[in-house]
Amino acid sequence: MTAQGSSASDGAGLGTAAVDDDPQVQAVLAARAKMARLLAAPTPFATDDGSADPAVTAALEATDLPRHEYLDRLWAALAGSRVIVPVAAHAVHAPSQVDGPTRLAGPAVAEREVGGATVPAHEVHTADAAQDAATLAVDLPDGHIALPVFTSAAAMSAWRSDVRPVPIEPERAAQVAVEHTDQLWVLDPGTLDLRLPRPAVVALAGGEGWVPSWRSEAIQDEATAQLLAVDGVTGVAFEPGETAELRVFIRIDASGGMPAVAASLEACQHVMVNPAWGELIDTVELCPVPA
């Protein structure tokens, strides 16, 4: 009887060893231990109730301002606040495209049997909530990918009910957007759907102030030098755009006829679509002015 009991015990021990040695089991256990450490660690957001920052709300409600002033004030409010990013209960995979700026996760992977034990077959979250949020990046209508960032837990719940809100510093959320998306945020997708300009996100990621191109003499001086080098261009001026970040007025010598004007304008377009402007100017509107 004793020998038989030992045999049964040994069999159970082998099953437990098989479970303990399985890489996915180890990953799940490591994730649980990491989460326990994170929950025990002090956080500046321990008393955060998920409400929107009043300064951010005020900036969002100032819709009577011109677009460039609205974004300028909103960026300043966001930089001085905290933001909320979504973290899924399970790692996402096989994203599915839907109408509008949302990317939905595929179904959770089913549980599986390992050595007689049931193990949830999902990937493990990282210790960085913002990096986890990058797996929920949203597809914008123009084809770019942006990090979903929320002003409140309520706004996030309106977007998706199967994710949990995690408050983080805006600088960290911007860094992840720069590393894992097209350097863009979409603020409150599903309700507001506001795209924060790429240069604003890049500046925030670097802990720097954002100087929009319509206010930056350095950017305008460089753009002017490059545009004046184009044959036929005799003058350049700038102002904030109504739908784009920057409106560029280009005075073109029309004495050579419309073919020459068209050639000059095409050359100017090539100058301004150079990827080198990507972190300095978000979008540009060219306005030719025949001389």
Side-chain angles (χ1 to χ4, degrees):
M1 294 295 292
T2 304
Q4 290 178 354
S6 297
S7 177
S9 176
D10 291 345
L14 289 173
T16 303
V19 173
D20 292 343
D21 291 340
D22 184 88
Q24 191 157 12
V25 175
Q26 292 298 320
V28 171
L29 295 175
R32 290 175 180 171
K34 184 179 294 183
M35 182 59 68
R37 291 195 300 272
L38 288 174
L39 291 174
T43 170
F45 308 110
T47 60
D48 196 313
D49 63 358
S51 301
D53 186 314
V56 173
T57 299
L60 287 173
E61 292 176 347
T63 54
D64 57 330
L65 293 174
R67 177 182 180 275
H68 63 285
E69 292 184 19
Y70 179 85
L71 290 175
D72 206 17
R73 289 194 186 187
L74 177 59
W75 183 91
L78 288 169
S81 179
R82 67 90 177 93
V83 295
I84 291 176
V85 295
V87 175
H90 297 278
V92 299
H93 54 90
S96 55
Q97 177 69 44
V98 297
D99 293 337
T102 56
R103 170 182 287 184
L104 300 181
V109 180
E111 295 179 336
R112 65 189 185 92
E113 294 290 328
V114 179
T118 300
V119 179
H122 61 74
E123 297 177 15
V124 178
H125 291 308
T126 68
D128 189 334
Q131 190 169 329
D132 283 338
T135 65
L136 298 171
V138 299
D139 296 324
L140 302 179
D142 62 4
H144 287 99
I145 299 174
L147 186 74
V149 176
F150 296 88
T151 58
S152 68
M156 194 200 71
S157 295
W159 175 61
R160 285 181 54 165
S161 60
D162 61 334
V163 293
R164 61 183 179 87
V166 178
I168 63 170
E169 295 84 357
E171 182 176 337
R172 181 56 190 146
Q175 290 168 353
V176 171
V178 168
E179 295 168 3
H180 299 285
T181 74
D182 291 327
Q183 301 179 315
L184 294 169
W185 279 6
V186 58
L187 193 64
D188 290 348
T191 51
L192 184 61
D193 292 325
L194 191 151
R195 164 179 156 161
L196 199 67
R198 178 181 291 107
V201 176
V202 172
L204 189 56
E208 302 173 351
W210 174 42
V211 182
S213 56
W214 52 266
R215 199 171 60 209
S216 171
E217 293 184 5
I219 292 175
Q220 292 177 22
D221 287 347
E222 179 60 28
T224 297
Q226 293 188 28
L227 291 169
L228 287 177
V230 174
D231 289 341
V233 175
T234 61
V236 179
F238 305 89
E239 69 176 23
E242 293 183 4
T243 57
E245 179 186 336
L246 183 66
R247 176 177 291 170
V248 184
F249 293 96
I250 305 171
R251 189 170 66 243
I252 300 176
D253 183 0
S255 62
M258 289 308 299
V261 171
S264 297
L265 181 58
E266 182 178 1
C268 290
Q269 291 172 335
H270 282 298
V271 168
M272 297 310 301
V273 299
N274 189 323
W277 293 110
E279 296 185 2
L280 301 174
I281 307 174
D282 188 51
T283 51
V284 176
E285 177 186 358
L286 294 182
C287 299
V289 181

